[in-house]
Amino acid sequence: MASYALNEAGVARARELIDARQYVLDSEWGDVQPNAEAQNAYLERHSWDEYAAWHLGLTEGANDETKARFAFVYGDFRRIHRSGLIACVYRAAEWRHKAVELAAHDLLQHLDEVSG
């Protein structure tokens, strides 16, 4: 099983999006989660650092500037999705990636507070 470090830049970006009210509260994560085509299109127009900021985890041992390096995507490259944060909490908890689980949980709580 892969190991993940917490991506502090991703956590900060998620918090910025929440505070700027750039979120979707009701969505089907399976329908809006970025697929490979959307990821590639985003990378054609943005830097690896910008791509990284949409992920809460960094795969330990994976090469930089590869999609394999980044895990636990939480948004659609435009807005954060509440369902994406829930998916991050669930997946991280399931595989015992505690730092990512706790960060995603904290972000979910912050989103719920901000959105009322």
Side-chain angles (χ1 to χ4, degrees), residues 45-57:
R45 299 182 317 273
H46 298 87
S47 70
W48 280 102
D49 286 341
E50 291 170 304
Y51 179 80
W54 286 98
H55 300 81
L56 298 180

Side-chain angles (χ1 to χ4, degrees), residues 14-27 54 74-76 78-83 85 107 110-116:
R15 187 169 281 281
E16 288 172 7
L17 289 165
I18 293 168
D19 291 342
R21 301 197 182 278
Q22 296 298 307
Y23 49 74
V24 177
L25 297 177
D26 296 308
S27 61
W54 286 98
Y74 58 79
D76 62 9
R78 288 185 43 235
R79 297 165 298 184
I80 191 169
H81 283 253
R82 187 173 188 276
S83 61
L85 288 176
L107 288 165
H110 182 58
L111 174 60
D112 287 348
E113 288 172 12
V114 167
S115 66

Side-chain angles (χ1 to χ4, degrees), residues 67-93:
K67 288 193 286 183
R69 175 73 170 137
F70 309 103
F72 300 99
V73 64
Y74 58 79
D76 62 9
F77 300 130
R78 288 185 43 235
R79 297 165 298 184
I80 191 169
H81 283 253
R82 187 173 188 276
S83 61
L85 288 176
I86 292 168
C88 288
V89 170
Y90 175 81
R91 285 182 39 235

